Amino acid sequence: MKYKLNPHLAYRKIGEFLYVVDSKTSMLYKFNETAEIVFEGIKKCFDIDKIVKKIVSEYEVEESVARSDVEEIIKEMLEKNIIEVKK
Amino acid sequence: MDKVVNDLFWTTYKNRIPLYTIVELTYRCNLFCKHCYIPQHYRTKTELPTEKVFQLIEEIYSLGGLYLTFTGGEPFLRKDIFELINYAKQKSFYVTVFTNGTLIDKKIVKKLKSVNVNRIEISIYGNKDVHNRFVRCNVFDKVVESVKLLKKEDINVCLKTVLTKENFKDYEFLKNLAKNLDVVLKTDFVISAKIDNDLSPIKLLLSDKKLKNLVKKEDIDITSECQNFDNFVCSAGMNLVSVSPEGNVYPCVEFPYLLGNIFEDDFTTIWQKNALRFVKKFLNIRKYRKCLSCEIKTYCRRCPALCFVESSDIYGCSYVIKKVAKIFKSLFLKNNVGGTF
């Protein structure tokens, strides 16, 4: 499954965190570096495997751990409407 | 304040990142609003060329800015407004446009939709007669029509008003209008002097009695309106900045203290050197001796910009802000409104 960013977002990396604001809801969210890699991956139309690979190479973690983290982050981003399923 | 909003504000404040940038694209305007802080003779001033605004956006992006507001004058008088919004959106800015809503038609709405603008804020001052008298032009119906067109295309739009002696009675009307149009109404009651120090708009300020009734009736949270003055003066020049149509950089849109001009220096240099010098010199809490010993400081939403335009003294006392603070104090002591300090 592929995902895409909600088109109503504005975002910026400030300090260690990625801040994302959704103009539809006026909600502001703050994400850590791992979530930022997921966000950037989705922005570049990467599939989950490619995002997991990137996290494994950046943080030297087990693939299963990285995959679980990515799935958790994607679930959270879907719930917050930051991303949507690409049809 | 929401925890994440608070966190973003203080992170950018402490690190002096221009989180909020206001760009006045033009001083030209097709209306003549009675309270406007821009002197009419400014309307003939030069404007930033498209490429210069692009360069400005690039620099603010590199410095970490997120919220970008295009205002005027009337920004839709510029033919390149969509190019500018689009450019900022490509850099993932949150783009807001302040407008009088008179130049928006179906074609413009389609373009706004296509460039993914984040928010449109439209000024309105009362019912048809009151609004048209206040802006000195017969445009009320057009403004309402613009809101409807934007809503129809699912564009984030809100109404905003300033309550003055001339439109106070229409507050209920405005609230109902916003409700019927299904948009938020942002309300303010502070009026600024003009940026050339002309104090005439202040005459429109509500009387003490009306202001007091408004705060009471609307249950305005006094605590959120006031500042903790012991460690904070103002965000101007810290995480807020403004650029005028001639390229002048100011700490805030209503604060005509010149930091530099982007035709002479790049914005980054002005922000990192001149604005830093400004905040070190003027936003030092210890220099606000009068304020620190003032008996109503706890109720005051101090604004160095208003002090500056009213009296040319940044450390001075704004007539408008003091009036509001006195009312907040009297209401708070009666324990009629607000939270606790």
Side-chain angles (χ1 to χ4, degrees), chain B residues 9-241:
Chain B
F9 179 86
W10 286 110
T11 301
T12 52
Y13 181 87
K14 285 171 187 163
N15 294 290
R16 285 200 62 253
I17 293 167
L19 179 65
Y20 309 98
T21 305
I22 301 171
V23 181
E24 293 175 306
L25 291 173
T26 177
Y27 282 138
R28 283 179 292 143
C29 190
N30 52 337
L31 302 183
F32 300 88
C33 302
K34 290 184 178 178
H35 70 306
C36 186
Y37 63 88
I38 299 169
Q40 273 189 35
H41 65 269
Y42 276 38
R43 293 182 181 209
T44 52
K45 284 183 185 277
T46 55
E47 293 172 7
L48 293 171
T50 310
E51 289 298 326
K52 201 70 185 167
V53 185
F54 287 170
Q55 188 193 329
L56 177 65
I57 292 169
E58 289 285 349
E59 291 190 59
I60 297 162
Y61 170 76
S62 298
L63 289 165
L66 174 59
Y67 295 95
L68 186 63
T69 298
F70 289 132
T71 183
E74 172 47 48
F76 286 106
L77 283 171
R78 275 190 66 141
K79 297 264 187 291
D80 59 355
I81 180 74
F82 304 102
E83 265 183 273
L84 301 176
I85 297 170
N86 189 45
Y87 198 90
K89 284 308 301 170
Q90 297 307 313
K91 295 283 172 191
S92 59
F93 276 94
Y94 187 100
V95 179
T96 302
V97 182
F98 290 173
T99 171
N100 59 37
T102 59
L103 301 173
I104 295 173
D105 58 17
K106 278 184 187 170
K107 207 171 148 190
I108 300 255
V109 170
K110 287 242 178 310
K111 284 184 182 174
L112 285 170
K113 180 89 177 168
S114 72
V115 294
N116 244 328
V117 69
N118 293 96
R119 190 171 175 84
I120 303 288
E121 298 198 3
I122 298 181
S123 304
I124 194 156
Y125 303 104
N127 68 28
K128 190 171 179 170
D129 287 345
V130 171
H131 180 80
N132 290 345
R133 209 165 44 239
F134 199 81
V135 303
R136 297 175 172 122
C137 206
N138 187 16
V139 290
F140 176 85
D141 292 337
K142 180 73 203 91
V143 173
V144 173
E145 180 61 21
S146 296
V147 176
K148 288 178 182 170
L149 288 172
L150 290 160
K151 282 293 289 181
K152 199 174 168 190
E153 282 298 325
D154 203 22
I155 292 172
N156 184 7
V157 54
C158 81
L159 288 173
K160 60 181 182 182
T161 194
V162 177
L163 294 177
T164 70
K165 278 178 182 167
E166 298 198 6
N167 66 347
F168 180 75
K169 286 180 183 165
D170 273 32
Y171 188 35
E172 285 303 317
F173 169 86
L174 288 171
K175 284 197 289 186
N176 285 329
L177 177 68
K179 196 177 166 189
N180 292 337
L181 292 168
D182 190 26
V183 296
V184 168
L185 173 70
K186 290 168 73 174
T187 310
D188 200 0
F189 43 80
V190 170
I191 297 167
S192 173
K194 290 185 190 288
I195 50 176
D196 63 353
N197 306 97
D198 174 358
L199 301 179
S200 60
I202 293 175
K203 283 186 282 190
L204 292 166
L205 190 67
L206 290 170
S207 68
D208 286 5
K209 193 180 168 190
K210 281 177 179 161
L211 196 48
K212 200 180 264 188
N213 285 339
L214 173 74
V215 177
K216 264 164 82 173
K217 195 175 164 197
E218 296 303 314
D219 199 20
I220 292 169
D221 181 5
I222 291 176
T223 53
S224 72
E225 288 284 326
C226 303
Q227 300 167 1
N228 178 359
F229 199 68
D230 292 335
N231 60 15
F232 178 80
V233 177
C234 179
S235 55
M238 295 297 286
N239 57 5
L240 167 67
V241 68

Side-chain angles (χ1 to χ4, degrees), chain A residues 2-15:
Chain A
K2 281 200 172 185
Y3 303 92
K4 62 177 183 178
L5 298 184
N6 165 352
H8 306 290
L9 302 180
Y11 45 90
R12 194 71 73 238
K13 172 94 182 268
I14 294 173

